[in-house]
C-alpha cells in the first residue's frame, strides 16, 4: 500500500512507489510506443548538428516561443493606471488566459473583462457587445477608467474601437465624460511588448491629444512590460526620490500587483493617477526603459515637444550609470552621494565574486531589452554570453546586441538570435553547450533536456515564488541579480564536488 | 456553520442582482437560485452566452479542445493554429502528467504554434499549415499524428484545414486531425469539448483499423485528464478489481489507446461534461455501455466500484469488495486524522462542469458541507445530475461573474472556497482559505483512495493554515 495517513504522499512521491511503476509498465503495453532503443536513438539525434540544421531550416512552425500576444501587454499596461479596468473586445477565452497568465506570475488577482463575442458578433460585428459590456462593467466594478483593447477576433472582422466607443457613449453605456482610452492590439502583429506600446500610446493619446502643453520640469518614465515591475518600480522611485527629481511613472503597476492580505480585497490599488497622467503632457522629457515597449509611443511623445530618451532595461553598473546620468542631465539634479555609494557597493560585490563569474559561459533568453540588459551585465562581471535569444527581437535588436558583444573581450563568442524560439535554443545548447542558462520558467525544459542549470530571470516565473518583489533595476537590483547568479554557480560547484568524491567540497569559497 | 435560511439566500441573490443594469439583471436572475429539495434540477438556466463586461470566469472552445480533450494525447503534436497567445497561455497549465521523452515520443508540454502574422490573416494560413506539417514530420519522426487546433482567425478567414489535413495525412502517413475549435464558437469551453469529441469520432475512430485481442474484462477510462496523476490513482483501483484498462482518455493517453477503445466492454466516464459525446457515439455505433463514475472520496469511490462491478461477473464483484476492504483501514486513518480538524466547516465551490458535484461527497467524508456551488460551463443535464448531491437551501450559481462570487463569499462566509487561479488570490486577500480545484493547486492526484488522502491533507492545510490568524494587525484587532 503506497499511501498512509502518517505520511501522505502526493504526486512528487506517490508514483515512484512500486505499485505505480508496475501500473505504468502495464499501461505501456497498450500505448504501442516505440522501442526504448529507438526513443534513445532519436533523443540523441535531436541533440546533433544534423538536427540543428534541420531545426534551423524551419520556415513555418514555431515551437516553444518566448513571447505572448499583444493584448496581454495591453492589459498589463492598463493595469498601472488608477482604478483602471481592462476591457478586451473580442472572444472571452482570451481574457481568461491573460488573467490567469498574469496571476500565475504575480500570485495576485488580475481584473479584466471581455465583450464575450460569439458567432453572431462575428457576422454582425461587436458593437452591441461593446455597448452592453461597457455598461455592465461600469455598473458592477465602478472603475475610474476603462481601457479597451482587442483580441484577434475583433481585429480580423475589423471592429473600429473609436467609432464603437463613441456610439456606446451616445447610447449611454457610460457617461460621455468617462475616460475610455483604447488601443487596437492584433495578436498577429508583434508580441506582448507591442501591445504594451499600443496601450500606453492609447492612454496618452486619450489624455493629451488636442491639449495645450505647458512645459514643466518633471520627467515621465515608461518602464515597459516587466515581470519585475513590483520590485523594479519601487526601486526606481527610491532612486529618483534620492535625486530629488519630480517624475511620473506612466503605468505604475508596483502596488497593483502587490496588494496586502489583510482581510480586504482591493480590486484597484495604486497606479498612476489620471490627473498625473493628464499632467504628464507637460513633462520636460519622457524616458523609456525598454525601447521595444515604446517603439510607437516615444516618437509620438517627441512630436508633442518633449525630449525623449530610451534605454535597454537599466540593469547592472553601466546601464544604471547611463540612466542616472541621463536623468541628471535632463533635470539638472545631481546624482547624490548615496547613489554613488550604492554603485560602489555593487562594484565591490562584483570584485568580491569575480573569480567565480570569470569566463563562465551563459545562454540567455527574454524580452529584447531585458536580454540586452542581462548581456551587458554578464560582460561587466567577466562572464561570457554565448547564445542570446529573443523570440520577439528583430534585426535592429540583433544588431544592437552584436555591437555590445563586439565592444567587450568577453563578447567575442556571443551571438544574438532574433525571432528564434526555445526549440532553436535547445539545439544551440545541445551543440554548443554553456555553463548556465538565464531565462523564464519556460527554460526549465531546456535545463532538463540539455542539463544546463537555469537561473530564473524574466517573465513569466511560474514555478518559483516572489522573485518579482525584488528589483533587478539599478545598483541594488544588480546586487540581487549577482547573488542569484552566484548562488546557482556555487550550488553547482558543491553539487559537482559531491559527485566527485567530495574533492573541492570547500567550506569557504 | 452557515446560518442563512433559504429566505436569506434569496434576499442575497436579489441584493447581488441589484448592481446590474436592468437588462443584464434579468438575464443573470435566471442563473442564480436556491436549491429546493426534491426538485429535478437546480433551478438555473445554463449553457447560455455570457453577458459582456461582467468578468465571466469562462474560457473558450479552443481551451475545451486543445486545453482539455486533445492536448493530453501525448504522442501527437497539437498545433495551436493562429496567433501565438492561445498556445502560450495554455502551455503546460493543466498538469496532464504523461510518461515518455519530451520532444521525442511525448509532446504534451510543448507549445507548437503557427504563430500567425498579418500576412497569414490576409492571404490565408493553409500553405503555412501544409509546411508546418512537413516540418513537424521531419523534426519529430516518432510522433503518431498531428491535431490542428483552430484559433479564432481560422474560421473567419475561410481556411480549409480539413482539405490540408486530408492531403497531409496521406503524404506523411500519419493521423492528422483538423479541429474547428475557434474561440468564438459557442458560449464556453463546453462546445470545444463537443467539437473535439466529434473530431475523435470522424478522424480517429472511424478511420482506425485495429488488430487487438480483447478480453471480457476490458474497460476504458474516459474523461480523466490525469491532472497531478488522477488517472493513474484511478486505474490502479480498476485494475486491482480485476479489470483490464485498455485506454485512457486523454490523460497520459496515446493515439493507439484511442483507436482500441471500441473494443472495450464498458466505458468508464469520469468527466461526463467533456466526454459524454464520444461515449454516446461508441454506445450507438459499437454497443458499448458507459457509466458515469466518481472517484472523489471513499463514499463515492466505493459506490462507483460497485456500480462498475455490477456490469461484470462475480469475480469482478468480489474484486470490488476486496479493493474496498483493502483500502478501508487507510481511509479510516485519514478520516480519523483530518475529520476532527474540519468537522462542520463549509465550502463554496465554483469549477467547470463536473467537479462541484463530484467532490461534494468527498468534502462530506472529511466533515465539510457545501453551502454554495456552481459551474462555469455545465448544461442542464449536469444540473440534473447534481441534485442528489445537494442539501436543501444550497446557493446555486451558473456562469457566475467575479462580482457575484465576491458578494456570495462575503455573505456565506465559507471556511473554504474551491475554484480557479483567477479567483484564488481574490479570496485569499479577503482572508478566506482557497484551493484551486482545476489544477489541484499544483498538488494531487485527488482521484481514488490514494488521491483522497492527498485531498484531505490539502483541505486541512488550507483551512487550518496558521496564516489566517495573521490577517489583522494586532493593533487593529478587537
Amino acid at each position: 500500500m503506497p499511501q498512509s495517513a502518517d505520511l501522505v504522499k502526493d504526486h512528487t512521491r506517490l508514483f515512484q512507489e512500486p505499485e505505480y511503476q508496475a501500473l505504468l509498465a502495464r499501461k505501456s503495453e497498450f500505448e504501442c510506443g516505440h522501442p526504448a532503443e529507438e526513443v534513445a536513438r532519436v533523443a540523441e539525434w535531436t541533440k546533433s548538428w544534423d538536427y540543428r540544421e534541420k531545426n534551423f531550416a524551419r520556415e513555418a512552425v514555431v515551437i516553444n516561443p518566448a513571447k505572448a500576444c499583444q493584448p496581454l501587454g495591453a492589459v498589463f499596461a492598463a493595469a498601472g493606471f488608477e482604478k483602471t479596468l481592462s476591457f478586451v473586445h473580442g472572444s472571452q477565452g482570451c481574457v481568461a488566459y491573460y488573467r490567469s497568465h498574469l496571476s500565475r506570475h504575480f500570485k495576485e488577482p488580475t481584473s479584466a473583462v471581455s465583450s464575450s463575442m460569439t458567432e453572431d458578433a462575428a457576422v454582425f460585428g461587436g458593437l452591441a457587445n461593446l455597448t452592453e459590456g461597457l455598461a455592465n462593467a461600469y455598473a458592477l466594478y465602478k472603475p475610474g477608467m476603462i481601457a479597451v483593447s482587442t483580441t484577434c477576433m475583433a481585429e480580423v472582422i475589423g471592429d473600429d474601437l473609436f467609432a464603437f466607443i463613441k456610439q456606446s457613449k451616445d447610447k449611454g453605456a457610460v457617461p460621455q465624460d468617462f475616460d475610455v482610452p483604447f488601443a487596437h492590439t492584433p495578436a498577429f502583429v508583434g508580441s506582448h511588448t507591442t501591445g504594451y506600446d499600443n496601450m500606453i500610446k492609447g492612454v496618452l493619446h486619450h489624455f493629451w491629444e488636442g491639449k495645450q502643453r505647458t512645459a514643466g520640469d518633471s520627467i515621465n518614465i515608461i518602464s515597459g512590460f516587466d515581470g519585475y515591475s513590483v520590485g523594479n518600480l519601487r526601486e526606481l522611485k527610491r532612486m529618483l526620490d534620492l535625486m530629488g527629481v519630480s517624475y511620473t511613472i506612466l503605468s505604475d503597476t508596483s502596488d497593483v500587483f502587490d496588494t496586502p492580505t489583510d482581510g480586504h480585497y482591493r480590486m484597484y490599488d495604486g497606479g498612476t493617477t489620471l490627473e498625473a497622467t493628464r499632467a504628464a503632457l507637460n513633462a520636460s522629457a519622457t524616458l523609456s526603459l525598454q525601447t521595444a515597449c515604446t517603439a510607437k509611443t516615444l516618437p509620438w511623445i517627441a512630436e508633442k515637444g518633449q525630449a525623449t530618451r530610451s534605454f535597454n532595461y537599466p540593469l547592472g553598473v553601466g546601464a544604471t550609470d547611463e540612466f542616472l546620468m541621463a536623468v541628471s542631465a535632463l533635470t539638472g539634479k545631481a546624482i547624490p552621494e548615496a547613489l554613488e555609494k550604492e554603485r560602489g557597493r555593487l562594484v565591490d560585490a562584483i570584485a568580491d565574486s569575480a573569480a567565480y563569474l570569470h569566463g563562465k559561459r551563459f545562454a540567455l533568453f527574454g524580452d529584447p531589452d531585458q536580454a540586452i540588459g542581462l548581456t551587458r551585465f554578464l560582460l561587466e562581471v567577466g562572464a561570457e554570453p554565448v547564445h542570446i535569444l529573443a523570440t520577439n527581437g528583430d534585426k535592429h535588436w540583433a544588431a544592437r546586441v552584436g555591437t555590445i558583444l563586439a565592444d567587450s573581450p568577453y563578447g567575442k563568442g556571443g551571438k544574438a538570435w532574433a525571432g528564434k524560439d526555445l526549440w532553436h535554443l535547445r539545439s544551440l545548447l545541445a551543440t554548443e553547450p554553456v555553463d548556465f542558462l538565464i531565462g523564464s520558467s519556460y527554460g526549465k525544459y531546456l535545463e532538463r533536456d540539455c542539463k544546463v542549470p537555469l537561473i530564473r530571470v524574466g517573465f513569466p516565473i511560474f514555478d518559483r515564488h516572489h522573485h518579482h518583489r525584488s528589483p533587478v533595476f539599478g545598483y541594488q537590483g544588480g546586487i540581487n541579480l549577482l547573488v542569484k547568479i552566484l548562488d546557482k554557480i556555487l550550488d553547482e560547484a558543491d553539487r559537482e564536488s559531491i559527485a566527485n568524491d567530495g574533492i573541492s567540497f570547500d567550506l569557504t569559497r | 456553520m452557515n446560518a442563512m435560511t433559504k429566505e436569506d439566500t434569496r434576499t442575497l441573490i436579489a441584493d447581488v442582482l441589484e448592481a446590474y443594469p436592468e437588462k443584464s439583471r434579468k438575464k443573470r436572475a435566471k442563473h442564480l437560485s436556491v436549491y429546493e429539495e426534491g426538485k429535478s434540477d437546480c433551478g438555473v438556466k445554463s449553457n447560455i452566452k455570457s453577458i459582456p463586461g461582467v468578468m465571466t470566469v469562462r474560457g473558450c472552445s479552443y481551451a475545451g479542445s486543445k486545453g482539455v480533450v486533445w492536448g493530453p494525447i501525448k504522442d501527437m503534436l497539437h498545433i495551436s493554429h493562429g496567433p501565438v497567445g492561445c498556445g502560450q497561455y495554455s502551455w503546460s497549465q493543466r498538469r496532464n502528467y504523461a510518461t515518455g521523452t519530451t520532444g521525442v515520443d511525448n509532446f504534451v508540454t510543448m507549445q507548437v504554434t503557427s504563430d500567425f502574422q498579418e500576412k497569414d490573416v490576409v492571404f490565408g494560413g493553409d500553405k503555412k499549415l501544409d509546411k508546418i506539417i512537413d516540418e513537424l514530420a521531419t523534426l519529430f519522426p516518432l510522433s503518431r499524428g498531428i491535431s490542428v487546433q483552430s484559433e479564432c482567425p481560422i474560421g473567419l478567414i475561410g481556411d480549409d484545414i480539413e482539405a490540408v489535413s486530408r492531403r497531409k495525412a496521406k503524404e506523411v502517413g500519419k493521423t492528422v486531425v483538423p479541429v474547428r475549435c475557434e474561440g468564438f464558437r459557442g458560449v464556453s469551453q463546453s462546445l470545444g469539448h463537443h467539437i473535439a469529441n466529434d473530431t475523435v469520432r470522424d478522424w480517429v475512430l472511424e478511420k482506425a483499423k485495429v488488430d487487438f485481442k480483447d478480453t471480457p474484462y476490458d474497460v476504458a477510462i474516459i474523461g480523466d485528464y490525469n491532472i497531478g496523476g488522477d488517472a493513474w490513482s484511478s486505474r490502479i483501483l480498476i485494475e486491482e478489481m480485476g479489470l483490464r484498462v485498455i485506454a485512457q482518455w486523454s490523460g497520459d493517453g496515446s493515439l493507439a489507446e484511442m483507436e482500441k477503445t471500441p473494443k472495450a466492454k464498458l466505458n468508464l466516464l469520469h468527466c461526463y461534461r467533456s466526454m459524454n459525446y464520444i461515449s454516446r457515439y461508441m454506445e450507438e455505433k459499437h454497443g458499448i455501455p458507459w457509466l458515469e463514475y466518481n472517484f472523489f472520496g471513499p463514499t463515492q469511490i466505493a459506490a462507483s466500484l460497485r456500480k462498475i462491478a455490477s456490469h461484470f461477473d462475480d469475480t469482478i464483484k468480489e474484486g470490488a469488495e476486496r479493493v474496498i476492504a483493502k483500502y478501508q483501514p487507510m481511509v479510516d486513518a485519514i478520516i480519523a486524522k483530518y475529520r476532527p480538524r474540519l468537522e462542520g466547516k463549509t465550502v463554496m465551490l465554483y469549477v467547470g462542469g463536473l467537479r462541484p458535484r463530484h467532490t461534494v461527497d468527498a468534502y462530506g467524508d472529511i466533515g465539510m458541507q457545501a453551502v454554495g456551488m456552481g459551474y462555469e460551463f455545465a448544461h442542464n443535464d449536469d444540473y440534473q445530475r447534481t441534485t442528489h448531491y445537494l442539501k436543501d437551501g444550497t446557493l446555486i450559481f451558473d456562469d457566475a461573474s467575479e462580482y457575484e462570487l465576491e458578494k456570495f463569499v462575503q455573505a456565506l462566509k465559507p471556511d473554504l472556497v474551491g475554484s480557479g487561479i483567477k479567483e484564488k488570490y481574490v479570496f485569499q486577500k479577503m482572508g478566506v482559505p482557497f484551493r484551486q480545484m482545476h489544477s489541484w493547486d499544483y498538488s494531487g492526484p485527488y482521484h481514488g483512495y490514494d488521491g483522497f488522502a492527498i485531498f484531505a491533507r490539502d483541505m486541512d492545510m488550507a483551512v487550518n493554515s496558521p496564516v489566517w490568524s495573521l490577517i489583522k494587525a494586532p493593533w487593529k484587532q478587537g
Side-chain angles (χ1 to χ4, degrees), chain A residues 2-17:
Chain A
Q3 193 66 289
S4 82
D6 294 332
L7 177 64
V8 173
K9 298 190 190 81
D10 63 23
H11 59 89
T12 54
R13 295 273 173 81
L14 185 64
F15 302 123
Q16 297 170 24
E17 295 292 326

Side-chain angles (χ1 to χ4, degrees), chain A residues 1-6 8-11 14-15 19-20 23-24 26-27 29-34 38-39 42-43 45-46 51 54-55 57-69 72 85 87 91-93 96-101 103-104 107-120 122 129 132-133 135-137 139-141 152-153 156-157 187-190 259-265 267 422-423 426 442 445 448-449 462, chain B residues 19-21 23-24 27 49-56 58-60 62-63 74 83-85 88-93 95 97 101-105 109-113 115-118 121 128 131-132 135-136 138-142 144 152-153 156-157 184-187 228-229 232-233 235-236 239 244-246 248 252 254 256-257 260 326-327 330 333-334 337-338 402-403 406 421-422 425-426 428-430 442-445 450 453-454 457 471-472:
Chain A
M1 178 96 63
Q3 193 66 289
S4 82
D6 294 332
V8 173
K9 298 190 190 81
D10 63 23
H11 59 89
L14 185 64
F15 302 123
E19 290 89 340
Y20 281 98
L23 175 146
L24 294 174
R26 283 195 300 278
K27 181 180 182 298
E29 290 169 27
F30 300 95
E31 294 174 355
C32 299
H34 301 275
E38 178 67 353
V39 172
V42 172
W45 171 66
T46 64
Y51 190 87
K54 291 183 166 65
N55 192 11
R58 271 191 276 146
E59 292 174 348
V61 71
V62 172
I63 305 166
N64 298 353
K67 68 171 180 180
C69 68
L72 182 82
L85 181 62
F87 185 116
S91 302
Q92 70 191 14
Y97 279 144
Y98 315 140
R99 295 179 62 210
S100 302
H101 205 68
S103 286
R104 285 177 179 129
K107 317 294 179 201
E108 288 286 320
T110 310
S111 296
V113 300
S114 164
S115 53
S116 295
M117 286 163 66
T118 58
E119 289 100 329
D120 53 348
N129 295 64
E132 193 182 345
N136 284 329
L140 286 185
Y141 298 110
C152 57
M153 178 207 185
V156 172
I157 66 173
F188 44 82
V189 176
T259 59
T261 285
D262 60 359
H264 171 59
Y265 163 53
M267 185 163 164
L422 301 186
W423 199 254
R426 187 179 186 272
Y442 298 127
Y445 300 112
R448 178 192 59 190
D449 291 0
F462 289 146
Chain B
Y20 284 92
K23 185 177 162 197
S24 299
K27 288 185 188 169
K49 267 198 278 189
S50 302
I51 300 175
V54 301
M55 217 179 308
T56 174
R58 283 173 168 177
C60 65
Y62 165 88
K74 63 183 178 180
V84 70
Q88 202 70 6
Y89 309 126
S90 56
W91 181 4
S92 287
Q93 290 304 344
R95 303 185 62 234
Y97 287 174
T101 305
T102 299
V104 180
D105 65 347
T109 56
M110 292 172 67
Q111 160 25 0
V112 180
T113 175
D115 188 18
F116 258 37
Q117 302 299 303
E118 198 150 25
V121 172
K128 190 173 203 177
K131 191 178 267 185
I132 283 172
E135 290 176 354
L136 291 176
T138 302
L139 292 174
F140 306 104
L142 301 190
R144 297 296 191 185
C152 286
L156 300 170
I157 61 177
F184 62 84
R185 293 191 198 277
V187 304
W232 296 329
S233 59
R235 183 184 185 112
I236 201 164
E239 289 185 342
R244 192 170 84 142
V245 179
I246 63 168
Q248 276 178 215
D252 192 33
S254 56
E257 288 168 77
K260 285 187 187 83
K326 175 186 165 185
Y327 286 93
M330 189 266 278
I334 290 289
K337 183 173 178 180
Y338 293 109
E402 297 286 5
Y403 176 84
E406 196 186 323
I421 183 69
K422 304 191 289 302
Y425 303 106
V426 170
Q428 289 188 176
K429 302 280 178 196
M430 289 162 61
Y442 322 120
S443 178
D450 290 342
I454 304 160
R457 179 200 70 177
I471 300 286
K472 287 280 171 233

